[in-house]
């Protein structure tokens, strides 16, 4: 008997920031079913696919997603019932065609992605494979190097820090689990240091601490203190930043810490930061609409650090292609809900790899219990994952899933860490 989709249902659930989001269940005709849900960003790129919200001011602060839920139940489900769950590209294309807008604003990227991911999860269960194996086959062996967020700023915390994410990169570790152990030691050492300085150890949206530090450099200094005090050196633990510069770029100037920098001055600032600190990756160091400066930044820092386009590319193959053709950035952040389907995400990853752009699979600041991105990172041998801090279950679930995947892979698991930077 052919395995086909029997039913699809969606409903509204709660994300990690207390906002509603979409959850969908795909049921197959052999009794197998799978549930997936979609995350939501706070620093949203202008070219992202549209998250459909009801915008009813009298209800859940305008944030309910009942229309998107309705679209799954009444429009998408009838189109996909009796289709094969193994034809992911066909399934996604049917939804994209029905939506018939560039940014999925009619059905909603949240409605479409919930279905896209649950179809894939159901297909992997039906095939008897783990999700990462279904996605990547027998060559899915590379455990990603994690970028672990330990200090939150920007729109993810209500402290002074203007840069959004300060991350450690345990790149000299022997294995993924070793990388997590090292990071846990540094994370908890940082907690003790902050406490000893009478600074808050409350956490921000992505689980990193959110103390009132005065400057971004002060944040980098305290991270170095934590690395050293935990017994490590900058030979085996590096730093990655998500500046999220679009958030403070206004009228052609970068406004932070009482500075107002031109694009050239901002490039200089970033160059100096990389000389003064062991930084291996800078995400969104410049704004999404400052494209010519991205080209300059890439000429200057291309050989030294990963220059990651998040808002710049929004996981969109067409925007990435434009970046590749103009030598803008050298890496891309991959967020499923920026483009709205698994197929388009895989297309974007493939394009990046063929052009030697590094790929970092990423969570959003508003997350759910889904661990899909952990499997995706291993399934496509992405090399890197960014999924928050070592606190808050919606973040740690993703790391814990990776620990399980590492166990399943046994001797086959590879942790390239440092080699990715050679
Ligand atoms: P967001 O933040 O999910 O709020 O967009 C994550 C990021 O900018 O990488
Ligand atoms: Zn970002």
């Amino acid at each position: 008997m052919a395995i086909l989709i029997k039913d699809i249902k969606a409903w509204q659930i709660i994300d990690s920031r207390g906002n509603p989001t979409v959850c969908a269940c795909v049921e197959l005709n052999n009794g197998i079913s799978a549930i997936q849900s979609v995350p939501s960003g706070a620093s949203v790129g202008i070219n992202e696919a549209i998250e459909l919200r009801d915008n009813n001011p009298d209800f859940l602060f305008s944030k309910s997603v009942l229309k998107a839920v309705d679209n799954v139940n009444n429009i998408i489900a009838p189109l996909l019932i009796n289709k094969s769950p193994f034809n992911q590209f066909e399934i996604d294309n049917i939804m994209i065609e029905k939506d018939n807008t560039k940014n999925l604003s009619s059905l909603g990227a949240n409605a479409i992605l919930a279905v896209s991911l649950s179809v894939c999860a159901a297909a992997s269960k039906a095939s008897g494979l783990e999700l990462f194996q279904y996605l990547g086959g027998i060559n899915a062996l590379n455990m990603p190097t994690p970028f672990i967020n330990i200090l939150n700023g920007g729109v993810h915390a209500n402290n002074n820090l203007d840069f959004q994410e300060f991350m450690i990169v345990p790149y000299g570790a022997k294995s993924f689990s070793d990388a997590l152990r090292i990071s846990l030691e540094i994370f908890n050492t940082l907690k003790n240091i902050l406490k000893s300085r009478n600074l808050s150890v409350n956490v921000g949206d992505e689980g990193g601490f959110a103390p009132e530090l005065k400057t971004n450099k002060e944040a980098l200094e305290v991270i170095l203190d934590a690395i050293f005090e935990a017994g490590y050196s900058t030979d085996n633990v590096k730093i990655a930043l998500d500046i999220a510069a679009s958030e403070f770029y206004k009228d052609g100037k970068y406004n932070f810490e009482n500075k107002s920098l031109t694009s050239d001055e901002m490039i200089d600032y970033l160059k100096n930061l990389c000389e003064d600190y062991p930084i291996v990756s800078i995400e969104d160091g410049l704004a999404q609409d400052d494209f010519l400066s991205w080209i300059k930044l890439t000429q200057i820092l291309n050989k030294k650090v990963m220059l990651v386009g998040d808002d710049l590319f929004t996981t969109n193959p067409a925007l990435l292609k434009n970046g590749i053709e103009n030598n803008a950035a050298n890496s891309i952040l991959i967020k499923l809900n920026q483009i709205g389907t698994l197929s388009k995400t895989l297309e974007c990853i493939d394009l990046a790899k063929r052009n030697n752009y590094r790929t970092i699979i990423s969570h959003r600041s508003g997350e759910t219990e889904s661990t899909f991105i952990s499997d995706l990172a291993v399934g496509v041998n992405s090399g890197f994952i960014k999924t928050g801090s070592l606190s808050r279950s919606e973040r740690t679930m993703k790391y814990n899933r990776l620990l399980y995947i590492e166990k399943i892979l046994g001797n086959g698991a590879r942790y390239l860490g440092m080699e990715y930077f050679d």
Side-chain angles (χ1 to χ4, degrees):
M1 185 182 70
I3 297 175
L4 301 171
I5 294 172
K6 185 177 161 204
D7 199 10
I8 302 178
K9 286 211 166 43
W11 60 98
Q12 186 172 269
I13 61 163
I14 315 158
D15 77 11
S16 62
R17 255 196 298 252
N19 292 325
T21 189
V22 182
C23 184
C25 177
V26 166
E27 188 188 342
L28 306 180
N29 60 349
N30 59 3
I32 282 173
S33 64
I35 293 177
Q36 285 292 328
S37 50
V38 300
S40 173
S43 61
V44 177
I46 44 178
N47 292 310
E48 292 196 21
I50 299 295
E51 184 178 83
L52 195 64
R53 299 226 175 244
D54 298 332
N55 294 324
N56 175 354
D58 299 329
F59 195 57
L60 281 169
F61 303 95
S62 307
K63 292 205 163 154
S64 58
V65 290
L66 299 175
K67 180 85 178 73
V69 163
D70 229 48
N71 289 346
V72 173
N73 293 335
N74 298 318
I75 302 176
I76 295 174
L79 291 172
L80 300 185
I81 286 169
N82 289 328
K83 298 279 181 214
S84 167
F86 301 111
N87 292 342
Q88 187 73 44
F89 281 71
E90 184 199 358
I91 298 277
D92 289 345
N93 278 336
I94 290 172
M95 292 191 281
I96 290 169
E97 274 167 30
K98 181 67 185 173
D99 177 90
N100 202 25
T101 66
K102 261 189 119 154
N103 55 8
L104 306 184
S105 55
S106 129
L107 293 174
N110 42 358
I112 291 174
L113 185 63
V115 174
S116 183
L117 298 184
S118 33
V119 165
C120 177
S124 90
K125 274 193 191 175
S127 67
L129 296 170
E130 290 288 340
L131 181 53
F132 73 96
Q133 291 167 326
Y134 176 70
L135 286 164
I138 54 176
N139 195 37
L141 296 169
N142 290 359
M143 299 302 298
T145 298
F147 284 10
I148 296 186
N149 180 328
I150 56 176
L151 284 178
N152 285 194
V155 294
H156 293 169
N158 63 349
N159 58 1
N160 277 333
L161 290 174
D162 293 307
F163 294 174
Q164 188 175 280
E165 298 163 29
F166 297 79
M167 296 165 280
I168 48 170
V169 184
Y171 95 153
K174 290 193 279 299
S175 63
F176 180 79
S177 39
D178 192 40
L180 272 197
R181 179 189 57 78
I182 292 168
S183 305
L184 272 173
E185 288 175 11
I186 296 169
F187 179 70
N188 285 303
T189 304
L190 177 62
K191 188 176 193 174
N192 292 337
I193 292 176
L194 293 173
K195 271 192 196 160
S196 72
R197 297 181 191 173
N198 289 324
L199 288 161
S200 165
V201 290
N202 290 344
V203 299
D205 286 356
E206 296 187 341
F209 301 117
E212 284 293 352
L213 296 169
K214 285 188 203 66
T215 64
N216 298 302
K217 286 192 179 174
E218 207 176 306
L220 287 164
E221 290 295 336
V222 74
I223 289 173
L224 285 182
D225 290 346
I227 292 172
F228 297 138
E229 207 170 304
Y232 298 98
S233 80
T234 53
D235 289 339
N236 46 32
V237 181
K238 303 286 185 185
I239 295 176
L241 297 174
D242 181 3
I243 309 251
S246 306
E247 294 293 324
F248 53 80
Y249 181 66
K250 301 263 146 50
D251 305 323
K253 290 283 185 67
Y254 291 89
N255 303 298
F256 64 101
E257 291 174 6
N258 304 320
K259 298 186 226 297
S260 186
L261 304 186
T262 63
S263 299
D264 283 349
E265 288 167 344
M266 186 66 187
I267 291 173
D268 255 10
Y269 176 90
L270 295 175
K271 184 170 161 267
N272 290 335
L273 217 53
C274 291
E275 278 160 14
D276 295 344
Y277 296 95
I279 293 170
V280 288
S281 174
I282 297 182
E283 178 184 334
D284 283 351
L286 295 170
Q288 56 202 334
D289 44 4
D290 194 9
F291 191 71
L292 292 178
S293 304
W294 267 97
I295 298 173
K296 265 195 208 169
L297 176 72
T298 309
Q299 281 163 359
I300 293 170
L301 286 178
N302 188 28
K303 294 265 177 330
K304 295 207 176 85
V305 292
M306 288 168 67
L307 298 166
V308 186
D310 171 13
D311 289 353
L312 181 70
F313 296 137
T314 57
T315 317
N316 185 319
L319 295 177
L320 175 61
K321 189 159 177 285
N322 184 45
I324 291 165
E325 283 167 1
N326 289 285
N327 292 317
N330 59 25
S331 307
I332 178 171
L333 203 75
I334 300 290
K335 291 168 166 169
L336 288 149
N337 78 328
Q338 283 183 323
I339 192 69
T341 61
L342 175 60
S343 307
K344 283 274 172 210
T345 304
L346 294 174
E347 184 187 326
C348 197
I349 293 169
D350 181 58
L351 179 66
K353 286 182 169 232
R354 280 189 283 113
N355 290 278
N356 295 321
Y357 272 52
R358 289 173 183 155
T359 53
I360 307 166
I361 309 298
S362 172
H363 66 159
R364 298 304 305 244
S365 51
E367 264 298 335
T368 73
E369 299 83 357
S370 169
T371 56
F372 195 98
I373 61 166
S374 307
D375 286 74
L376 181 63
V378 181
V380 301
N381 288 326
S382 69
F384 303 90
I385 193 167
K386 166 176 123 162
T387 187
S389 190
L390 301 172
S391 76
R392 299 187 60 133
S393 305
E394 77 280 4
R395 316 290 150 183
T396 55
M397 284 182 81
K398 276 94 166 155
Y399 292 120
N400 290 338
R401 170 70 186 164
L402 282 163
L403 288 173
Y404 182 59
I405 292 175
E406 188 183 45
K407 266 213 160 320
I408 296 171
L409 289 173
N411 288 341
R414 289 191 292 242
Y415 182 77
L416 296 181
M418 206 177 284
E419 285 176 49
Y420 274 120
F421 295 90
D422 290 343

